[in-house]
Amino acid sequence: WYDECDSHICESQISDQMARLRWPDSPFPAASVVTGGDFADREDEIALLRRELREGGRVFLLAYRRYGKSCLIHETFRRLRAEERLITVYVDLYRATSEREFWELFTNAILSASRSPSQQAVEWVTSLFRFRPTFSVDPQTQMPTVTFDAARTPAALSEVRNAALELPAVVARKRGAPVAIALDEFQEIRTLDGPRLEKLMRGAFQTHRGVGYLFAGSKLHVLRRMAEEPDAPFYRFGRLVELGPIPEEAWTPYLVGRFRRGKITVAAAALTSIYEVTGGIPYYVIRLCRLLWVRGVRSARLEAVDVQEAFGELVAEAGDLCSHTWDGLPLSQRRVLVALGEGRGQEVFSEAVRSTYEIGPSSTVARSLDRLVQLGLVAREGGRTSRRYRIVDPLLAAWV
């Protein structure tokens, strides 16, 4: 820009121009986990989780990807630590590729959260485990971490499991403080050892005093079976909570306040459009608003057309991923997705829709929908007996 300027332009003019080019930082967070002032709504859900966990209750939290499940957990835990002095433990099961690795993650998360003197934490572990694991120090937390050698026999793995299962109750008792443990993507436990491991975990967890458990997952059909089927080990073990989109009336003050930081006015039609195209799903609302922020700083006002254009950019960016998903589906499931994408989710079983989209008999529709639900691409609205469906990802829905 400077090279193209008139050579006689004064330094003050250059400074003024550069100042105008320095846009204010976006108030819409890019981080994957958002808490504190950046967290939007969910006050009812937070109140419920806090009440259950501080009293040693158990909750199954079901939420599709991008609905803010992990953010909700971390924000709830932040408040429990700050206001009620709970010890909060977060374990992501996606990080575990074996049962031994899971118990290592589980144990280290508890030790780190306990904030106990290193020597005391080491004593807890050595008193529980018949063998002595390898200890090291986490450079960030300065807390001891343990490493379990690969179990050579089922008996050796059983020793690791039994000791790890005792640790939450030991920490709650020794520290004299309630403990809340979140097992995120809990359905992945079935990839490790399935029902047998679930039985052992339930048997231990139901004896713990002063320990609340949150079992969270994004594969709703799996987690629901774990919590609701009579022959499942965790049948009726805790309260079932399904996380939906954030309502429009909760988004409006949040978005208006954020855009106001850049002196950006948002038309009412634009706010409605943001909600409609994203479905109120937190990830997509924030991602869309990050694009809109750039437009708003330039024009000082956002209209509905700006929302549509920015959302179109997101859909175009997602094209390769959508194509990959589409290519992996048989023709019958593609046709069902097209019907849902065009707003026919409430009548997808009707003869008119089946004929228009050449889907076939109702049995074919049912099989296609069941598979799409299992893949996490489609959601059933209104409960398990409902016959209303929609595509979960608004970008995929728009692309379709």
Side-chain angles (χ1 to χ4, degrees):
W1 178 84
Y2 184 86
D3 292 339
E4 296 175 359
C5 287
D6 187 310
S7 60
H8 299 292
I9 193 168
C10 69
E11 290 298 321
S12 63
Q13 288 175 295
I14 294 175
S15 297
D16 290 345
Q17 181 69 16
M18 295 305 292
R20 284 194 291 273
L21 291 175
R22 291 193 206 101
W23 293 350
D25 293 336
S26 171
F28 298 101
S32 56
V33 175
V34 174
T35 60
D38 289 328
F39 190 82
D41 194 47
R42 303 294 194 200
E43 292 301 324
D44 291 342
E45 292 89 344
I46 290 175
L48 185 152
L49 293 179
R50 289 177 64 175
R51 182 173 62 252
E52 291 286 339
L53 294 174
R54 71 169 173 252
E55 296 174 1
R58 281 99 54 162
V59 178
F60 287 84
L61 179 64
L62 287 63
Y64 289 102
R65 293 187 182 280
R66 313 300 192 189
Y67 275 52
K69 165 178 56 65
S70 296
C71 293
L72 172 62
I73 295 171
H74 284 284
E75 174 61 13
T76 301
F77 276 11
R78 184 188 71 83
R79 298 189 193 186
L80 285 172
R81 289 193 302 271
E83 300 169 22
E84 303 184 49
R85 308 301 186 198
L86 261 72
I87 297 170
T88 60
V89 181
Y90 177 83
V91 184
D92 183 358
L93 269 75
Y94 267 143
R95 296 177 56 195
T97 59
S98 68
E99 186 185 345
R100 177 201 60 80
E101 196 171 51
F102 164 65
W103 293 121
E104 191 172 282
L105 288 169
F106 185 81
T107 300
N108 285 320
I110 294 172
L111 291 180
S112 177
S114 72
R115 295 295 177 188
S116 300
S118 296
Q119 184 59 39
Q120 187 177 57
V122 170
E123 290 174 359
W124 291 344
V125 173
T126 53
S127 68
L128 290 173
F129 293 86
R130 295 182 181 179
F131 60 93
R132 184 177 179 84
T134 302
F135 285 94
S136 58
V137 177
D138 187 311
Q140 292 184 330
T141 65
Q142 297 302 308
M143 290 295 294
T145 61
V146 298
T147 302
F148 301 136
D149 294 331
R152 299 181 181 276
T153 65
L157 180 59
S158 179
E159 286 186 16
V160 171
R161 181 191 309 120
N162 293 338
L165 284 171
E166 287 185 49
L167 188 57
V170 169
V171 170
R173 186 173 64 253
K174 297 286 188 181
R175 286 295 311 278
V179 175
I181 299 179
L183 299 172
D184 205 356
E185 301 302 344
F186 183 61
Q187 73 279 339
E188 296 304 303
I189 206 74
R190 291 202 160 184
T191 67
L192 302 180
D193 199 3
R196 188 187 69 84
L197 187 53
E198 291 175 50
K199 290 179 182 177
L200 294 170
M201 293 175 76
R202 172 168 181 152
F205 293 165
Q206 67 186 2
T207 67
H208 291 173
R209 297 293 177 266
V211 183
Y213 285 95
L214 176 59
F215 309 100
S218 58
K219 295 180 180 178
L220 275 65
H221 66 290
V222 178
L223 203 61
R224 187 173 279 114
R225 285 202 299 267
M226 295 173 72
E228 293 186 335
E229 291 189 352
D231 59 345
F234 281 98
Y235 175 60
R236 292 188 176 177
F237 188 62
R239 184 168 183 170
L240 200 67
V241 176
E242 183 169 341
L243 202 62
I246 293 177
E248 183 176 4
E249 59 268 23
W251 275 123
T252 298
Y254 179 90
L255 298 179
V256 169
R258 299 261 152 174
F259 281 116
R260 190 178 290 132
R261 297 182 189 180
K263 298 181 180 179
I264 301 168
T265 301
V266 188
L271 290 168
T272 299
S273 187
I274 290 172
Y275 184 80
E276 288 177 347
V277 298
T278 63
I281 300 170
Y283 171 82
Y284 297 105
V285 171
I286 298 302
R287 191 174 170 194
L288 175 60
C289 287
R290 286 184 65 81
L291 286 182
L292 290 172
W293 175 261
V294 177
R295 290 170 174 259
V297 170
R298 285 198 298 254
S299 64
R301 182 174 175 83
L302 292 172
E303 303 288 351
V305 65
D306 296 304
V307 177
Q308 296 299 326
E309 290 175 357
F311 186 70
E313 292 178 30
L314 292 182
V315 175
E317 290 176 11
D320 287 344
L321 288 175
C322 293
S323 296
H324 179 73
T325 299
W326 184 261
D327 291 342
L329 300 175
L331 189 58
S332 58
Q333 293 173 23
R334 293 183 187 181
R335 289 171 174 169
V336 169
L337 276 185
V338 172
L340 300 185
E342 295 185 352
R344 310 301 292 273
Q346 295 189 16
E347 49 184 341
V348 68
F349 283 97
S350 70
E351 183 177 351
V353 171
R354 289 188 286 108
S355 175
T356 298
Y357 296 92
E358 303 179 79
I359 299 174
S362 295
S363 57
T364 300
V365 178
R367 285 195 299 271
S368 294
L369 286 169
D370 284 346
R371 180 55 181 160
L372 292 169
V373 168
Q374 291 175 8
L375 292 172
L377 300 177
V378 167
R380 179 189 286 111
E381 296 182 304
R384 300 181 67 180
T385 60
S386 171
R387 291 167 72 90
R388 301 198 314 272
Y389 295 84
R390 63 176 173 82
I391 298 175
V392 173
D393 186 334
L395 298 184
L396 177 63
W399 183 89
V400 167

